[in-house]
């Protein structure tokens, strides 16, 4: 028979009165000295850590990544150094714009964040289910997210805010078109691709650098809801994607993705039609074919959602030796922003939380801060260099300089000549769609733009229509007809 456990305070002190407060007599006032009452209420008040500003609602699971192909000519990263090698991973999926209580089937991009627990430290590959993004400079990000959240006056979501921003920022068009297609409402997390989205770099044993993009291809097959199906599911089961993931893993139907990469040399980058570091653009796979790397499998549900999924913290800054950054402006901004967000949300020592902790040795001079749980370095010195410990800088892990030509630091127009083609790729994407996909995408755009209201409605609609026309004439005409816009005026505006 299992032995009973004693009820204790958080400090381990046993107590008996868990349901009744200490009072002066049967009906008298409560005494200040009832510490258990204080502890219960104070902890309850703090049970909700600040939710993520974006990607607030998510699902996650543990699994493994297995190398299936040799890519050592591109990278010395140990996670890839042997065919057959397995690395533990944690993957968190999420919606982007909604709060923690929002529905899983909202029209929204989906976060796809993977933490690889490698022997050279944790690698966080933090992307989405789309290969591009809405903006390409981090200064634009807070403004963009404000338009996806709630109107400061009505506290409701606003189509006017969203389309006003998008119509004023045509760099968003590629991602907006994907969002308005059926890919904007995935059937489940298991049935969608994942992307690193940004351009990163690989460094090999000869200190040679190539540019790289990461693609996770679902082995379950792509499956999407139509707009009507997604809306119906929101009412039936707002937690559909969470439930689907948990139940699939519980029944042994482990979801899997094939990791593939695209590789571009510096010479190819110099001659590429678009800026290869622009996250609103893709690298055409006909020019830069996918290269097989390995398979990621999710096979273990966390035993406690808060401990693992809610406290999971990812940051694109976390890259091990052999993997590095690029001049991608959005990536550069995220290197700072994500770690800062986690320190605000979870505290300075968030990387000591089990789901975030590196399973291998960690040695540094960080000390103190809330929730320090690793002994805080004991009696060891807390500065470097010093004459007492034997921690040495890992000079054999030095990264080669990033060749950027004769460029200088400054503030440059992100949409200057040569950086302002926002239309070719979205137009190509639309023309690749099947007739049914085109019809669904147009219907979704018309439905979404129909929510634009207020005195600037005509201005916003016409401005956005101008972008659709520039991407593809037939797309613009179909949207204008759907919105009951006078085609002659719309064409004149275009």
């Amino acid at each position: 028979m299992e032995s009973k456990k004693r009820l204790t305070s958080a400090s381990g002190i046993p107590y008996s009165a868990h349901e009744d407060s200490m009072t002066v007599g049967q009906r008298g006032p409560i005494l200040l000295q009832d510490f258990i009452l204080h502890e219960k209420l104070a902890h309850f008040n703090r049970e909700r850590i600040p939710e993520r500003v974006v990607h607030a609602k998510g699902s996650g699971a543990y699994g493994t990544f297995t190398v299936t192909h040799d890519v050592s000519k591109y990278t010395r990263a140990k996670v890839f150094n042997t065919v057959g090698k397995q690395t533990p991973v944690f993957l968190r999926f999420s919606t982007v714009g909604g709060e923690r209580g929002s529905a899983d089937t909202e029209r929204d991009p989906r976060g796809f964040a993977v933490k690889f627990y490698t022997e050279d430290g944790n690698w966080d590959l933090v992307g989405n289910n789309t290969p591009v993004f809405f903006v390409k400079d981090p200064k634009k990000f807070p403004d963009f997210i404000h338009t996806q959240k709630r109107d400061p006056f009505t506290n409701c979501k606003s189509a006017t805010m969203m389309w006003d921003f998008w119509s004023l920022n045509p760099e968003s068009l590629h991602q907006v078109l994907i969002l308005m297609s059926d890919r904007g409402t995935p059937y489940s997390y298991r049935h969608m691709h994942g992307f690193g989205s940004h351009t990163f770099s690989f460094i090999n044993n000869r200190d040679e650098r190539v540019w790289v993009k990461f693609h996770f291809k679902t082995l379950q097959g792509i499956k999407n809801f139509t707009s009507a199906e997604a809306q119906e599911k929101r009412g039936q089961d707002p937690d559909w994607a969470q439930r689907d993931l948990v139940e699939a893993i519980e029944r042994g139907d482990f979801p899997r993705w094939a990791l593939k990469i695209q590789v571009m040399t510096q010479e190819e980058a110099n001659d590429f039609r678009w800026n290869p570091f622009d996250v609103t653009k893709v690298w055409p796979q006909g020019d830069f074919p996918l290269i097989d790397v390995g398979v990621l499998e999710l096979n273990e549900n966390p035993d406690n959602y808060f401990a693992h999924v809610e406290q999971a913290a990812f940051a694109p800054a976390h890259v091990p030796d052999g993997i590095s950054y690029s001049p991608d402006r959005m990536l550069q901004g995220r290197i700072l922003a994500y770690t800062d967000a986690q320190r605000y949300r979870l505290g300075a020592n968030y990387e000591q939380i089990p789901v975030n902790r590196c399973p291998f040795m960690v040695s540094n001079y960080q000390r103190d801060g809330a929730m320090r749980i690793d002994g805080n370095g004991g009696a060891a010195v807390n500065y470097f260099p010093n004459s007492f410990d034997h921690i040495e800088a890992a000079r054999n892990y030095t990264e080669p300089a990033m060749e950027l030509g004769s460029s200088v630091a400054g503030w440059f127009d992100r949409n200057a000549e040569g950086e302002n083609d926002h239309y070719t790729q979205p137009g190509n994407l639309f023309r690749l769609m099947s007739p049914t996909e085109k019809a669904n995408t147009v219907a979704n755009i018309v439905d979404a733009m129909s929510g634009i209201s207020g005195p600037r409605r005509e201005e916003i609609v016409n401005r956005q229509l101008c972008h659709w026309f520039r991407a593809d004439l037939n797309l613009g005409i179909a949207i204008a007809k759907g919105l009951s816009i006078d085609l002659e005026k719309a064409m004149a505006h275009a």
Side-chain angles (χ1 to χ4, degrees), residues 74-75 200-203 208-212 263-266:
Y74 300 119
T75 178
F200 292 87
S201 57
F202 271 170
I203 302 167
E208 297 167 332
R209 187 190 300 269
V210 292
W211 307 116
V212 63
V263 171
M264 181 186 292
T265 65
Q266 183 59 54

Side-chain angles (χ1 to χ4, degrees), residues 318 339 343 347-352 362-370 372-378 380-384 389 391:
H318 298 161
T339 50
R343 293 185 187 104
N349 294 306
Y350 72 91
E351 290 183 276
Q352 293 181 33
V362 175
S363 301
N364 57 47
Y365 297 90
Q366 294 178 2
R367 296 291 188 272
D368 309 340
R372 188 88 197 193
I373 59 172
D374 66 346
N376 201 34
V381 296
N382 62 353
Y383 59 91
F384 180 89
D389 64 27
I391 301 174

Side-chain angles (χ1 to χ4, degrees), residues 320-337:
D321 182 57
I323 305 170
S324 190
Y325 314 125
S326 80
D328 182 329
R329 292 188 187 186
M330 280 297 293
L331 174 59
Q332 293 285 323
R334 293 176 80 203
I335 290 170
L336 163 69

Side-chain angles (χ1 to χ4, degrees), residues 1 7 28 45 61 69 119 128 138 178 189 224 263 272 276 284 290 298 370 395 417 426 429 446 459:
M1 183 177 179
L7 186 63
N45 286 345
H69 292 74
E119 59 265 54
N128 287 324
I178 294 173
Y189 293 134
N224 297 313
V263 171
F272 191 47
L290 296 177
L298 298 181
R395 302 195 186 282
E417 192 65 34
L429 174 61
V446 170
E459 176 186 339

Side-chain angles (χ1 to χ4, degrees), residues 40 100 195 226 315 339 398 457-458 460 471:
K40 286 185 71 176
R100 279 191 63 191
F195 301 88
T226 64
T339 50
T398 301
R457 179 186 184 279
E458 184 177 354
I460 295 169

Side-chain angles (χ1 to χ4, degrees), residues 117-192:
Y117 300 98
T118 90
E119 59 265 54
D120 271 346
N122 292 348
W123 172 31
D124 291 345
L125 185 54
V126 192
N128 287 324
N129 70 327
T130 61
V132 295
F133 194 61
F134 294 94
V135 293
K136 55 182 173 178
D137 192 299
K139 265 189 180 175
K140 302 289 296 177
F141 187 73
D143 297 292
F144 164 64
I145 292 301
H146 285 172
T147 72
Q148 306 302 298
K149 293 292 187 176
R150 295 183 177 272
D151 185 295
F153 171 60
T154 66
N155 196 42
C156 295
K157 294 293 186 75
S158 168
T160 303
M161 289 167 55
M162 287 190 290
W163 288 100
D164 187 36
F165 181 88
W166 289 335
S167 69
L168 290 166
N169 289 274
E171 67 199 74
S172 300
L173 198 65
H174 199 172
Q175 175 73 302
V176 171
L177 183 63
I178 294 173
L179 179 64
M180 290 297 151
S181 75
D182 287 343
R183 280 188 281 175
T185 49
Y187 175 81
S188 75
Y189 293 134
R190 297 182 297 124
H191 292 88
M192 67 182 195

